[in-house]
Amino acid sequence: MLDHLITHDDALRMVPTDRDELATAIGRLRDELRALPEDADPARTRVLTRWIGIGQMSMGHHDEALTFLRQSLDIAATTGNTRAVVATGLNIADAHRYAGDARSADALYRSALNTARNQHPELVDYALQHTGKHLMERGDLTGAQAHLQEALRLRIVKEDTELVKSTQAALDRVELLIGQAGATEVPPADPCEWSRQWTTWLRSRTTTLTPSRWAQDFPALRDAVAGITAHRRVHPRHLRHQSFPAMLPAAMAEEAEKAIATDGYLHNGKRNAAVGDAANHFAAQVDLAAVVARSTGLEVEQPHTAVYIAYTEGQFLDFHVDEPGFGEANLILCLRHERPTGALRVSATVFLNADGYLECALAPGDCVVFDGALTPHGRTPLGPGESVTLVSFGFRACDQAAHTLTGLPAAPR
């Protein structure tokens, strides 16, 4: 609609090809918007407000751009057009970035990329491209490069020459900045940023979405994964058929279902919810610290945090490492796993290790214990009619030395 009047400057930001012509074109769109009858097709209103917002952003009118883009986003959400929600969310993130609001932009880019991965794979390359440019401007050149490399691979598969050219230009810019930076990057002082960089790199190289890729991908991941897992405090352990009092997990399953339905929030492709009395009662009645110590050899305090997790048909969790605040050990207990009788394959928790991968298909009552901050992990997609409800507990090591992460390798470029 306005594509021919917008180009990109040397910093890869949208700018007018001719400022006066773009201003005139935006004016025509605004006239059309004002002339729409009250019963006009909401889709037309959505398209007009979006392009007015994009045009205003290219002109440098960021506040006005946000006003129109938010209107477009509201229409997309109200009409259930999740594809438009992702696309417009990226535009709003760009507007915040152009205005200098990196914090808001960061959250919006991550949300759009997460939604694209889980609901609209055809938009993942767009989300990666926008997020990569954002990371480049923030100075996270490693993260920017990983996002853009993944976008480039997806666009080559699409066989769209213009999209490939656009991503290659962005990647060339990032690689130029990396060359100018000179010295090899070191792990950031912020452990959370270190985790995000590794997660970005992992997701640019492999995915839980296609289990058949693991064997194919793993040789290229082996050295990097070994560099992380060499520092972990706990090796993954699948604990089957735990002898917990039956009524306690059952009470948590019921509480989790209600919490997810009423207060659940989307996080990394599945829904989380805060735990309540049933989970707290379970932790008070069962010596979970002893379960962790017996199975891993790491002495830990009783859990300091917990969260309910729910997956439904089609959802999955791509490979990542957790931010370190959850603790040195995680214990995930399966509360409920529903799937059709005779299903050939069920969803499982999967871990990447230096020698390959470990797949844990948790049945109700099963646990898995691991160091989420230093073990790449995820969950394979749920099939038709499948659902999983879990509770995850976080533990801190009794030995204070285990809390400090030093000598960690930086995410590869």
Side-chain angles (χ1 to χ4, degrees):
M1 189 170 281
L2 298 176
D3 306 66
H4 62 294
L5 297 174
I6 297 173
T7 187
H8 291 84
D9 62 14
D10 291 342
L12 305 181
R13 288 192 172 196
M14 291 187 294
V15 293
T17 56
D18 184 300
R19 192 172 183 86
D20 291 339
E21 284 192 26
L22 180 57
T24 300
I26 293 171
R28 287 196 294 268
L29 295 183
R30 296 183 72 158
D31 289 342
E32 181 182 346
L33 180 64
R34 283 191 290 267
L36 288 177
E38 290 186 7
D39 59 349
D41 183 357
R44 186 59 183 171
T45 305
R46 175 183 59 77
V47 170
L48 288 171
T49 50
R50 180 177 178 229
W51 275 104
I52 293 170
I54 292 172
Q56 295 288 16
M57 174 170 49
S58 302
M59 296 280 286
H61 304 154
H62 304 131
D63 289 342
E64 193 162 3
L66 284 168
T67 297
F68 282 96
L69 289 170
R70 286 170 181 149
Q71 184 180 348
S72 182
L73 182 66
D74 288 344
I75 296 170
T78 301
T79 57
N81 189 339
T82 54
R83 195 178 191 280
V85 167
V86 173
T88 311
L90 290 170
N91 299 142
I92 293 175
D94 285 345
H96 279 288
R97 171 164 62 95
Y98 286 20
D101 184 1
R103 182 184 293 273
S104 296
D106 190 75
L108 289 163
Y109 285 124
R110 294 181 188 282
S111 175
L113 180 54
N114 181 59
T115 303
R117 287 191 188 279
N118 287 284
Q119 298 185 43
H120 292 284
E122 76 279 7
L123 296 180
V124 169
D125 59 313
Y126 291 95
L128 288 165
Q129 174 96 349
H130 286 253
T131 307
K133 291 181 182 180
H134 163 66
L135 293 173
M136 177 187 69
E137 291 191 7
R138 283 184 52 195
D140 180 4
L141 301 181
T142 298
Q145 186 181 47
H147 278 73
L148 293 169
Q149 286 173 338
E150 185 181 357
L152 183 62
R153 286 196 297 275
L154 293 173
R155 290 184 162 183
I156 289 172
V157 171
K158 283 186 173 181
E159 298 183 343
D160 189 314
T161 304
E162 288 304 312
L163 292 180
V164 170
K165 182 179 177 181
S166 172
T167 303
Q168 188 61 64
L171 193 54
D172 290 345
R173 170 76 176 170
V174 169
E175 290 175 348
L176 174 65
L177 293 173
I178 289 174
Q180 291 173 348
T184 302
E185 291 183 43
V186 298
D190 178 5
C192 294
E193 182 62 24
W194 181 90
S195 302
R196 287 192 287 270
Q197 289 180 8
W198 266 103
T199 294
T200 296
W201 184 84
L202 287 163
R203 289 177 173 176
S204 74
R205 295 301 191 276
T206 190
T207 179
T208 63
L209 185 58
T210 311
S212 60
R213 280 187 51 182
W214 296 335
Q216 174 185 333
D217 295 342
F218 186 73
L221 302 174
R222 180 179 288 110
D223 291 344
V225 169
I228 304 178
T229 56
H231 296 268
R232 64 187 172 188
R233 287 72 53 109
V234 170
H235 293 261
R237 294 287 185 272
H238 186 173
L239 311 179
R240 294 177 171 84
H241 312 303
Q242 294 298 293
S243 57
F244 301 134
M247 72 288 295
L248 299 181
M252 280 193 292
E254 182 178 350
E255 180 177 77
E257 183 177 354
K258 293 178 182 177
I260 293 292
T262 58
D263 299 311
Y265 54 93
L266 190 65
H267 180 70
N268 277 346
K270 34 65 174 175
R271 297 192 74 78
N272 287 6
V275 300
D277 292 342
N280 294 329
H281 181 63
F282 175 81
Q285 294 297 310
V286 177
D287 190 351
L288 291 174
V291 174
V292 173
R294 282 196 306 269
S295 59
T296 68
L298 180 71
E299 296 292 334
V300 295
E301 301 170 353
Q302 293 300 329
H304 70 97
T305 189
V307 64
Y308 286 131
I309 303 169
Y311 295 85
T312 55
E313 179 179 327
Q315 292 184 329
F316 67 100
L317 177 59
D318 231 337
F319 284 114
H320 66 288
V321 288
D322 296 338
E323 294 183 355
F326 206 70
E328 288 68 58
N330 301 39
L331 182 148
I332 292 179
L333 168 62
C334 180
L335 300 174
R336 183 173 292 158
H337 191 166
E338 304 288 343
R339 69 271 199 188
T341 302
L344 297 178
R345 185 175 181 85
V346 297
S347 174
T349 302
V350 63
F351 302 92
L352 286 176
N353 296 294
D355 56 353
Y357 61 88
L358 171 66
E359 193 173 358
C360 299
L362 302 179
D366 284 3
C367 301
V368 63
V369 182
F370 61 103
D371 183 347
L374 297 173
T375 307
H377 60 285
R379 173 169 281 277
T380 58
L382 277 70
E386 189 175 8
S387 63
V388 175
T389 305
L390 311 165
V391 60
S392 180
F393 294 95
F395 302 79
R396 293 193 175 104
C398 295
D399 182 358
Q400 293 296 312
H403 299 180
T404 305
L405 300 176
T406 59
L408 297 177
R413 290 179 173 174

